[in-house]
Amino acid sequence: MGGAALAHDDPRPVKPGKRATINDVARIAEVSKKTVSRVINQSPFVREDTRERVNAVIKELGFIPDPQARGLAFRRSFLVGMIYDNPSPTYVVNMQQGVLDALKGSGLELVVHPCQRTSPTLLEDIRGFVERQRLFGVIMPPSMSEDENVIALLKELDTPYVRIASVALDEPQAMVVTNDWIGAAEAAYHLADLGHRRIALVRGKGFSDALAERGIPLPPEYDIYGAYTFESGIEAGHQLLSLPEPPTAIFTLNDDMAIGVMQAARDRGLELPRDLSIVGFDDLPMAARVWPNLTSVRLPIRDMGRMAAEKLLAPMRGIDPAQLKQPTIRPALIVRKSALPAA
């Protein structure tokens, strides 16, 4: 596996003033250049003792592989792209941290590409991003992960991808399923058990299904759209609280919107949580810092990013991504102070 040893007469590892090359590493480690390349790229098809010897020489010489040359060898760069349209900075940063956890030591780097899913140039923009960067692969959080046109484009470009979504939308090797409906149902049961019957939703299927199980209707005027931002939460809050019969409880599909609803309630002179119960989703750090502390559905966002990147890297490591042993994601309701029994 190591290849033929390359003899050399010069006792010095590298001539003074010269930068170490892959040929120097191969010569001193007594392996082929191809074996050095495999070690650099973390191929699983190298014996462990050979890998240790080559890495020791790399460290001794201070050899730094040329990323462009590595990319050319694979006809791809060593960049993983994260394409997202989620406007919550905390959510995005947590997701990035998880991806970086998995990429550590792999030789791959993360490059992010924010976009608007409703943009008329979305597919054109993504095509340009993927082709310019020659991406190793793509990770897509929701709601970008739900766009089948984007998936078709990535398949056309022969670009590996993993998508993160609340339900299975693809083959197991290309999916991290977050089971959001479980957390949404817990939120619905919690508010119903507190005696609320006029419950509004700023978007989510699992929540409405759980209310129906408890015999609580969700009228159309209580089921409205939010753009996942603080500002859209304020707008949704004013819209709901201006109804002739306003809700006594509101569940939003992220914490930014929930805090926006809180602001709208205060703008209208309501006292929280006495006059209005509010539940959010994601359980971002801000949920425990606002007042009243926000009851929220906790998702392991950083773990979700890590799991997606692990699946993307699995083939490079000689592992079937569909066979990776990853825990099932189960959202959990974190009860705090923002929801009280109905008056």
Side-chain angles (χ1 to χ4, degrees):
M1 194 59 153
L6 301 179
H8 62 92
D9 299 321
D10 190 344
R12 293 171 297 185
V14 181
K15 291 182 179 180
K18 293 285 187 179
R19 184 175 174 181
T21 68
I22 193 171
N23 289 327
D24 295 320
V25 175
R27 172 171 53 81
I28 296 167
E30 299 184 325
V31 297
S32 69
K33 199 164 88 171
K34 185 174 182 180
T35 297
V36 176
S37 179
R38 285 175 173 167
V39 171
I40 291 169
N41 293 302
Q42 298 190 328
S43 166
F45 306 112
V46 180
R47 284 169 37 191
E48 192 56 35
D49 59 336
T50 302
R51 186 186 308 278
E52 290 176 1
R53 186 166 76 253
V54 171
N55 280 329
V57 173
I58 288 172
K59 184 176 180 180
E60 178 189 348
L61 298 183
F63 172 67
I64 301 175
D66 179 353
Q68 289 187 337
R70 292 176 68 197
L72 287 172
F74 281 78
R75 290 184 295 174
R76 294 188 185 277
S77 72
F78 281 73
L79 295 174
V80 170
M82 189 172 104
I83 301 174
Y84 66 92
D85 64 339
N86 191 311
S88 169
T90 308
Y91 180 97
V92 171
V93 168
N94 284 349
M95 183 72 68
Q96 288 178 27
Q97 288 175 332
V99 174
L100 291 171
D101 288 341
L103 296 186
K104 188 174 182 181
S106 71
L108 299 173
E109 301 292 344
L110 176 64
V111 57
V112 298
H113 185 72
C115 55
Q116 287 190 334
R117 191 176 169 191
T118 56
S119 168
T121 62
L122 175 67
L123 294 180
E124 179 184 338
D125 293 343
I126 292 177
R127 178 186 291 275
F129 171 62
V130 172
E131 291 182 337
R132 280 192 308 273
Q133 304 293 341
R134 296 173 37 252
L135 296 176
F136 174 88
V138 168
I139 292 170
M140 287 178 297
S143 68
M144 188 58 64
S145 60
E146 301 159 7
D147 195 316
E148 296 301 331
N149 291 323
V150 173
I151 298 302
L153 172 63
L154 293 175
K155 288 179 178 178
E156 176 195 330
L157 296 174
D158 195 27
T159 300
Y161 65 85
V162 175
R163 44 180 168 171
I164 302 167
S166 59
V167 295
L169 302 173
D170 213 316
E171 299 301 319
Q173 63 268 24
M175 281 298 314
V176 171
V177 180
T178 60
N179 300 303
D180 293 16
W181 63 272
I182 295 174
E186 282 195 34
Y189 297 147
H190 179 63
L191 291 173
D193 291 344
L194 288 174
H196 293 280
R197 292 298 177 267
R198 300 202 311 271
I199 304 172
L201 167 66
V202 188
R203 212 52 79 177
K205 184 176 186 300
F207 187 83
S208 54
D209 290 347
L211 288 182
E213 287 181 18
R214 296 295 175 95
I216 301 172
L218 184 65
E221 65 271 21
Y222 279 9
D223 182 8
I224 65 174
Y225 172 78
Y228 292 90
T229 63
F230 172 75
E231 291 77 15
S232 71
I234 294 177
E235 184 179 345
H238 282 299
Q239 181 178 338
L240 290 167
L241 295 173
S242 64
L243 292 171
E245 196 170 29
T248 61
I250 298 175
F251 172 61
T252 72
L253 270 201
N254 78 349
D255 290 343
D256 293 85
M257 291 193 296
I259 295 169
V261 170
M262 285 182 167
Q263 183 61 51
R266 291 194 177 98
D267 290 345
R268 304 178 80 87
L270 300 184
E271 183 179 327
L272 301 176
R274 187 193 67 186
D275 298 328
L276 179 68
S277 289
I278 302 172
V279 176
F281 201 100
D282 289 339
D283 194 37
L284 299 178
M286 71 178 87
R289 297 170 185 164
V290 295
W291 184 257
N293 302 147
L294 181 63
T295 293
S296 184
V297 176
R298 176 174 293 170
L299 265 183
I301 298 168
R302 184 166 179 165
D303 288 341
M304 288 153 44
R306 175 184 52 77
M307 291 165 69
E310 286 175 349
K311 285 202 169 184
L312 196 62
L313 268 59
M316 184 179 82
R317 294 168 172 166
I319 302 169
D320 178 358
Q323 301 302 317
L324 275 177
K325 293 183 179 178
Q326 295 181 330
T328 300
I329 295 174
R330 285 193 65 88
L333 184 70
I334 308 300
V335 177
R336 296 192 180 94
K337 307 282 189 183
S338 64
L340 288 179

